[in-house]
Amino acid sequence: MTHLNGLNISNFISFKGNATQTEGADKIKTSEPKGATLPPVLKQDTFVKSTPSETSKIEQYDDDYDEEYEKEQAKWLQKRLSELDKAAQNLESQTLEELRCILELRLSLQYEAPEAEPSLKTIADTIISKLDKESVDTKEAADIWRLMSVNTDCMTENADRELSRIIAHASILLHSIGQERYQANFDTLQEAFKDINAEFSGRVKTAKSIEEKIPHRIKNNLRNGENLFNATSDICGYRLVTDGSNEQGEKIMERIEKLTKDGKYTLFSISSHGENPYISKDEIERLHDEKGFEYTIKQYPGFTGTNIILKDKEDKKLEIQIIGKEVNKINIKEHKFYKLWTLSEDEHRKYFTSRRDIGAYEEYMNACYAYARGLELGTIDKNTEKPELPEGLCEDLRLI
């Protein structure tokens, strides 16, 4: 363990020259007016005691300021190192909330004192040892994630590595919670939708998929006070593949209304996508007026589907996706394109070499979704010419 007596505080400080010029200093003239001459009464052999120039005053001020600034920074650093040193001596006895505070302090010193104890690795190990299926879904655990999400842009490589270990461990726990809850919801929903002639299926999001999602969507949801399981929102996901008719969409919404009236679930949000969505805008707004929930309606080209988030009796979220059978065929293939954004630059270049390629493929993708939705609605004949993959793009990207 590193103690204060073994630390050379000056090694951690390099603030000289970083001081900001004071307001108004840039307005001070630091040179004589153009064409200035000595007063005629002064001769070459006359000596006059002069006062310091404005320039030298500024330089003197900067020197004094830098020195004072360094002293204050040294005090700040010593105080923080003392707090860290004290925490290191009884780290195992700290609660998750206390560990969050220690982690925040340690992250604030990741550049100034990289060798100070407790190290980020030690703190990460301790947090991981205390996170189980019960504690991972608490406010305290969510606060740790919130802290990590606001520091993502200013991490050292070491800090990023240690925090990633915490995320990976928590993702395994969240996946395990999802597995425990999955079947009961599956049975309830399958029974509710059994007579509407739609294909019902479900899945639990993998730990790896949860891990990839945490740095992105979870950050926004955590700000709204959600726990980690609910911030992910679709750890338990279910899908209804319909014939695409408006009538079938209405039947699904009738069953969801009944589930909420029976007290089995609470309607949390509806997100509807596509020019010709499966649930009409009027129906969503009617339900909203009756029950109140978040909703978005995105009637533009591209993916067509409706995602419904419910909360069960224990206030845990699950997602139901409604999609037509023809659109679903496109969506399964298009998911490869969706995943391309998570690949390395080199992998990405195998499929797209320019922005023009990406734009052309997006237009093709939108046309494929419109074609598939038209087949479902009967507005497009199955013999109609299919959209063509843009010339030069990899055959792996063909959707139809």
Side-chain angles (χ1 to χ4, degrees), residues 269-287:
S269 70
I270 295 179
S271 181
S272 191
H273 304 258
E275 286 186 300
N276 295 294
Y278 296 102
I279 308 301
S280 72
K281 179 180 177 181
D282 290 344
E283 178 69 0
I284 291 174
E285 290 180 340
R286 179 190 69 77
L287 278 173

Side-chain angles (χ1 to χ4, degrees), residues 171 174-175 205-214 235:
S171 299
L174 292 169
H175 169 72
K205 189 177 279 293
T206 65
K208 185 64 178 174
S209 183
I210 295 169
E211 183 180 347
E212 291 171 352
K213 197 170 186 178
I214 282 176
I235 290 178

Side-chain angles (χ1 to χ4, degrees), residues 93-116:
S93 66
Q94 305 293 326
T95 64
L96 277 177
E97 179 58 29
E98 289 167 335
L99 286 169
R100 184 201 65 79
C101 295
I102 294 167
L103 177 61
E104 183 172 19
L105 174 59
R106 191 67 193 80
L107 287 171
S108 73
L109 296 175
Q110 60 182 308
Y111 292 100
E112 286 84 357
E115 303 303 322

Side-chain angles (χ1 to χ4, degrees), residues 352-362:
F352 303 105
T353 58
S354 67
R355 288 186 179 276
R356 182 179 296 176
D357 285 348
I358 295 173
Y361 189 70
E362 286 179 342

Side-chain angles (χ1 to χ4, degrees), residues 231-255:
T232 317
S233 77
D234 64 343
I235 290 178
C236 290
Y238 306 90
R239 175 174 282 195
L240 282 162
V241 180
T242 75
D243 61 13
S245 66
N246 294 327
E247 293 75 21
Q248 210 167 28
E250 289 171 5
K251 286 180 181 178
I252 290 171
M253 294 312 295
E254 286 173 6
R255 302 302 188 280

